[in-house]
Amino acid sequence: MTTPPIDAAETVYGRHSAHEQHIDGFGTVRLVPVDPGRDARLLHGWVTEERARFWGMGGTTVEQVEEIYAHLDSLTTHHGYVVLRDGAPVALFQTYDPEADRVSECYDARPGDFGVHILIGPTAGAAPEHGFTGHLLATLIDFVFSDPEHLRIVAEPDAGNAKAVALLERTGFELGPEIVMPEIDLPEVFLPEKRARLAFLTRTAFEASRTA
């Protein structure tokens, strides 16, 4: 079934920002918490595209996307944000406590570890913009490290997503081993087994790169 076009009036971003940052020559980036009811159709359009196959939600319906993010919203350890550039949605950003996530079964989590996922939205046919993803990722890293309790960012992109792995490495992440994250099959959420590549960015390395 084809999802009807998204009416911009249905997705409202006059919400409290978790983070806001202006980048000269790029614009203002804001992070607003995902509203499952309002954002489900937008997010469904993103996560079911072929380019987002590594996100693992390609076969979901709008209703299932809403249920997944409603479940996420009920947790204190996992959070979802719509990333806006000058008011327009451009990415989905998710954060989590690794100790409360299946990734903790695959590596030794440290105090201060903080997990992230990012999905860049479609460009609507526009030509790729040089530096676009880099600016967004830098802003998201600033957001994470604005909390002094966060000492190391943990990412685990799909091991087959070479572009994502390369982007993290260019951004300063240190690559770790490949892991196999176990399937999660619960009434409120299903996650298939995932072969991932661990990547880490410490606060020390981040601060050193800012002063270099």
Side-chain angles (χ1 to χ4, degrees):
M1 181 176 68
T2 302
T3 302
I6 297 168
D7 183 346
E10 293 181 11
T11 304
V12 181
Y13 296 108
R15 312 171 201 162
H16 172 72
S17 298
H19 182 74
E20 183 170 329
Q21 185 171 332
H22 180 75
I23 303 171
D24 289 341
F26 185 74
T28 298
V29 178
R30 293 175 56 216
L31 274 69
V32 298
V34 168
D35 181 321
R38 285 178 169 171
D39 296 330
R41 291 179 65 200
L42 171 73
L43 299 182
H44 176 264
W46 290 0
V47 302
T48 55
E49 284 196 333
E50 169 59 22
R51 58 183 291 278
R53 62 191 181 280
F54 295 116
W55 200 254
M57 293 175 61
T60 56
T61 64
V62 174
E63 291 75 18
Q64 288 170 326
V65 170
E66 181 174 352
E67 290 172 1
I68 288 168
Y69 284 95
H71 172 66
L72 193 75
D73 192 48
S74 73
L75 304 175
T76 59
T77 55
H78 293 61
H79 303 283
Y81 304 92
V82 176
V83 183
L84 310 175
R85 178 194 188 188
D86 292 334
V90 293
L92 171 62
F93 185 55
Q94 293 177 199
T95 65
Y96 62 91
D97 177 358
E99 290 280 13
D101 191 87
R102 61 178 175 163
V103 73
S104 64
E105 299 182 32
C106 304
Y107 89 108
D108 294 327
R110 300 178 186 171
D113 278 1
F114 195 71
V116 301
H117 298 289
I118 181 171
L119 175 66
I120 305 298
T123 59
E129 180 181 346
H130 179 71
F132 177 85
T133 304
H135 281 310
L136 283 187
L137 188 56
T139 302
L140 300 176
I141 292 171
D142 283 344
F143 166 60
V144 172
F145 282 135
S146 67
D147 185 333
E149 293 189 0
H150 299 157
L151 304 180
R152 185 172 69 158
I153 298 176
V154 180
E156 23 87 0
D158 191 290
N161 191 346
K163 288 184 178 180
V165 173
L167 173 64
L168 291 173
E169 192 170 21
R170 289 197 305 272
T171 308
F173 281 73
E174 180 180 349
L175 298 184
E178 285 193 10
I179 58 174
V180 177
M181 299 168 64
E183 177 183 292
I184 300 294
D185 190 1
L186 300 172
E188 61 274 13
V189 64
F190 172 76
L191 296 172
E193 182 181 273
K194 175 184 175 182
R195 182 174 294 278
R197 183 72 182 268
L198 286 172
F200 305 96
L201 179 64
T202 64
R203 176 182 291 277
T204 300
F206 168 72
E207 292 176 347
S209 71
R210 298 291 290 268
T211 58

